[in-house]
Amino acid sequence: MRLDVVLERITYANEETGYTVARVSTERTGDNLLTVVGALLGAQPGESLRLTGRWTAHPQYGKQFEVWNYTTVLPATVQGIQRYLGSGLIKGIGPVMAERIVGHFGTETLDVIDETPARLIEVDGLGPKRTTLITAAWEEQRAIKEVMVFLQGVGVTTSIAVKIYRQYGDAAISVVREDPYRLASDVWGIGFKTADTIAQAVGIPHDAPQRLRAGLQYTLSEAADAGHCFLPEDKLLESAEKILAVPIEPIRSALTDLVADEGVVRETVPEPNTGEVSAVYLVPFHRAEQALADGLRTLLNADTDRLAAFADVDWSKAFSWLGRSIGVELAPEQADAVKLALTQKLAVLTGGPGCGKSFTVRSVVELARAKRAKITLVAPTGRAAKRLSELTGHDAATIHRLLQLRPGGEAAFDRDNPIDADLIVVDETSMVDTLLANRLIKAIAPGTHLLLVGDVDQLPSVGAGEVLRDILAAEPIPRVRLTQIFRQAQESGVITNAHRINSGQRPELTGYDDFFWFGCEDTEQAASLVIDVVTRRIPRRFGLDPRRDIQVLAPMHRGPAGAGNLNEQLQQALTPAREGSPERRHGGRVFRVGDKVTQIRNNYEKGTAGVFNGTVAVVTAISLEQQSLTVHTDEDEEVRYDFAELDELQHAYAMTIHRSQGSEYPAVVIPVTTSAWVMLQRNLLYTAVTRAAKLVVLVGSRRALAAAVRTVSAGRRHTGLTYRLFPT
């Protein structure tokens, strides 16, 4: 049956499945709201909807309308039109202006905007400039609606329809009909599976060559998301066969065609313990890996030396001066690392927490500064760069900002325009992926000294590659590993237990004032306990702010104690809905002023020099009238997002441990539960614990904790950097 309603509010929405619970009104029911359930993801409060479905009776919640599908329709009543215009759907019209416009034009309002928009100037407060803005926004909405009518017929949600329209404009329908697999590469947020669903709906055969090629590239893209620079050919074909559900021979033939057309690169490379494999790369990863190896070799073997003054320095005098300058003597390992950084053009410094990596870096900087060297300090994240700057007393930047990446990902600094520096120090190198490392190395001139600093035992980068580990596996590259834990660090439960975990021993759960354990075998109870620890116990005992100072780090996103569910509960506790305060729903998330959020993709067009994956921010403003949300990032920048861009943001009260790499927080709370069993690994737990500067609280099951400590990560990523650095 059909039901015409006005969407009043959404009470629940699952962004992964699209399942939504909403309250709606109809002309008959008035203020007595009805409950509707089903696939409503993308619809916004204030919209008039035409629902198709059936009435059902829920044993607990009573009568509900089960939605099979829906379309948006224009409202006809004065109240409906005012609610529709004031809901933030039309840029330039907020609730106050909507009331004025509808008060002036009544039920003819939408006809006026549609047919004679120049008449809007009759409304008090609407000048020509704003009228033009509203007219343009209305035209775009109408065009999007036309595209949506078509796309909804092939199973596309409203939010994706908007993206497709904004990418292709009037050509959107023809692109979707003729080459839907383009969507997966052209439109962020649309993957192969969505494109494949559309392709089937428009009649593209299951075994069409374009589908097989797109499926192979998607399989490689998924592998890159899992950290691999390539896949062995047999593994690629096996995975693609499962995804595409067609026999392997046509897929093998499609791969041959893809290689011939340079859509992918196939090359024989050696892999540890397996001998040679036929490796298949997406083109950008092959180019980056090759160029990164060439660039590192060039730096290592450069004829020029921009720190030549250290070649014949009297190190005993230098270290004596350093001791007087900073008041602390270097341990032998640290002294070796300082010498290496200042005499070798490429060097690596690694070691665990409490072993003095930071102090060693400070010493390198102090001695280089004494020789009036030009020093550049960088880290992958804003938080890490800020910490590096505080430690050394020298400005530090993120790698992205140093390179001044531009729209499209091109950098202002490259081989032809290198960074003017004598010494470059990269902190938290373990989280630098192959693509970013290549961009950085391209921008370093031969003769410049490069010191790579990081903890190789932490999780590898979120992006593809294992740059730090691969470099350390190349024997000719100079390196020092710090192993001595200093006495002050030995008194810290955070540092002591981090080393115990890293060596395969269970952490000591009692006896420290900076490391706590709350046992709870039930996963849902553990989640509730995490909320209590963050919002009440830590603030009360340690005086830490639950939003600014405390970070929940979960092994995975899904599940009762996963980052997704914990974010919902923490938002409700820390930033609840308030009458009169604007908020914006996007998919399954509601954004409010005060929310802690994180960017989940690189966007080179935002901010002064781009906003990058992992940037953390706080929502400072939401404007329904301008259809925008503003955040203040951890790099002290105000950045504005259109509502259509909100899928680039996730809440960050809780985040996955992978996403926390390179950051440090005063306090870290870690749920360790059996529901995350497949993710419980030693380097995951070790990484989470080492993110804390002052305090760690573990919440969960002793069985899960034991599993995390004893489980070593299953195998290396598929990368070829070590082999390319020094091919035999």
Side-chain angles (χ1 to χ4, degrees), residues 15 312 554 608 726:
E15 63 181 300
D312 55 2
T608 56
F726 299 101

Side-chain angles (χ1 to χ4, degrees), residues 406-707:
R406 297 162 174 166
E410 294 302 315
F413 292 100
D414 55 21
R415 195 169 286 113
D416 298 324
N417 181 34
I419 300 159
D420 182 19
D422 303 318
L423 169 68
I424 295 177
V425 179
V426 183
D427 199 13
E428 297 284 1
T429 308
S430 63
M431 72 169 295
V432 179
D433 61 47
T434 299
L435 296 180
L436 183 58
N438 178 47
R439 287 195 182 106
L440 176 62
I441 298 305
K442 274 184 181 177
I444 301 176
T448 297
H449 284 227
L450 174 64
L451 175 62
L452 302 174
V453 183
D455 184 349
V456 75
D457 294 321
Q458 288 183 16
L459 289 169
S461 56
V462 174
E466 284 188 298
V467 173
L468 182 61
R469 190 167 293 173
D470 284 350
I471 290 174
L472 286 169
E475 290 299 333
I477 293 181
R479 82 286 305 278
V480 169
R481 179 169 188 139
L482 303 179
T483 57
Q484 178 185 344
I485 306 174
F486 291 93
R487 189 177 66 184
Q488 186 176 358
Q490 289 175 353
E491 297 171 1
S492 163
V494 173
I495 291 173
T496 299
N497 281 328
H499 283 278
R500 288 181 64 85
I501 291 165
N502 198 34
S503 63
Q505 302 176 68
R506 294 191 190 188
E508 295 176 349
L509 303 179
T510 59
Y512 293 104
D513 58 8
D514 64 347
F515 197 99
F516 297 89
W517 165 258
F518 288 90
C520 185
E521 294 298 321
D522 181 81
T523 301
E524 292 190 1
Q525 289 178 11
S528 298
L529 187 52
V530 166
I531 306 306
D532 187 48
V533 166
V534 172
T535 60
R536 191 175 64 85
R537 298 194 190 203
I538 292 178
R540 186 177 61 189
R541 177 162 177 179
F542 296 96
L544 296 176
D545 182 90
R547 258 182 295 217
R548 184 185 64 244
D549 300 327
I550 306 170
Q551 183 61 56
V552 177
L553 299 179
M556 59 196 299
H557 184 78
R558 297 182 180 183
N565 182 53
L566 291 174
N567 266 319
E568 288 185 18
Q569 294 191 47
L570 285 166
Q571 183 195 36
Q572 185 57 35
L574 298 173
T575 320
R578 288 186 172 87
E579 189 69 33
S581 295
E583 61 180 44
R584 178 66 178 182
R585 178 174 289 278
H586 189 91
R589 304 186 188 106
V590 177
F591 292 95
R592 300 181 182 126
V593 172
D595 272 339
K596 183 178 178 181
V597 295
T598 183
Q599 175 82 7
I600 61 171
R601 68 171 290 225
N602 290 342
N603 188 329
Y604 301 100
E605 299 184 0
K606 287 222 161 290
T608 56
V611 180
F612 302 99
N613 191 358
T615 298
V616 175
V618 174
V619 178
T620 54
I622 296 174
S623 171
L624 297 179
E625 186 172 315
Q626 296 302 316
Q627 289 189 294
S628 68
L629 174 150
T630 303
V631 304
H632 186 85
T633 73
D634 55 9
E635 295 183 58
D636 292 327
E637 184 176 12
E638 296 286 325
V639 180
R640 182 176 168 277
Y641 291 79
D642 288 339
F643 285 163
E645 299 174 310
L646 293 184
D647 54 355
E648 296 187 17
L649 295 175
Q650 282 183 353
H651 291 101
Y653 302 99
M655 64 174 67
T656 61
I657 297 167
H658 278 88
R659 188 162 285 283
S660 74
Q661 289 169 257
S663 295
E664 185 179 81
Y665 315 93
V668 163
V669 179
I670 309 165
V672 187
T673 66
T674 54
S675 66
W677 196 263
V678 295
M679 293 296 294
L680 295 177
Q681 296 175 358
R682 186 181 301 168
N683 62 348
L684 191 84
L685 182 59
Y686 173 72
T687 299
V689 169
T690 56
R691 297 308 86 208
K694 299 177 181 177
L695 176 69
V696 168
V697 179
L698 299 179
V699 178
S701 155
R702 286 183 181 270
R703 180 166 164 255
L705 178 62

Side-chain angles (χ1 to χ4, degrees), residues 139-198:
E139 286 295 324
E140 183 182 50
Q141 279 295 319
R142 184 164 60 180
I144 290 171
K145 297 282 185 193
E146 290 173 3
V147 173
M148 279 172 49
V149 169
F150 168 74
L151 292 177
Q152 282 181 338
V154 295
V156 176
T157 65
T158 305
S159 58
I160 290 179
V162 170
K163 286 186 172 188
I164 293 172
Y165 174 79
R166 291 196 169 153
Q167 176 70 30
Y168 302 114
D170 294 338
I173 293 175
S174 64
V175 169
V176 170
R177 278 198 176 117
E178 295 165 16
D179 190 8
Y181 293 104
R182 272 183 62 187
L183 303 177
S185 57
D186 290 353
V187 184
W188 186 80
I190 297 181
F192 171 80
K193 291 182 179 178
T194 300
D196 199 37
T197 300
I198 296 170

Side-chain angles (χ1 to χ4, degrees), residues 237-266:
L237 293 171
E238 180 185 329
S239 298
E241 183 183 20
K242 291 176 183 175
I243 290 166
L244 293 165
V246 298
I248 202 165
E249 285 310 315
I251 302 173
R252 194 187 306 276
S253 177
L255 176 59
T256 300
D257 292 341
L258 205 51
V259 171
D261 292 343
E262 299 182 352
V264 297
V265 175
R266 182 164 51 191

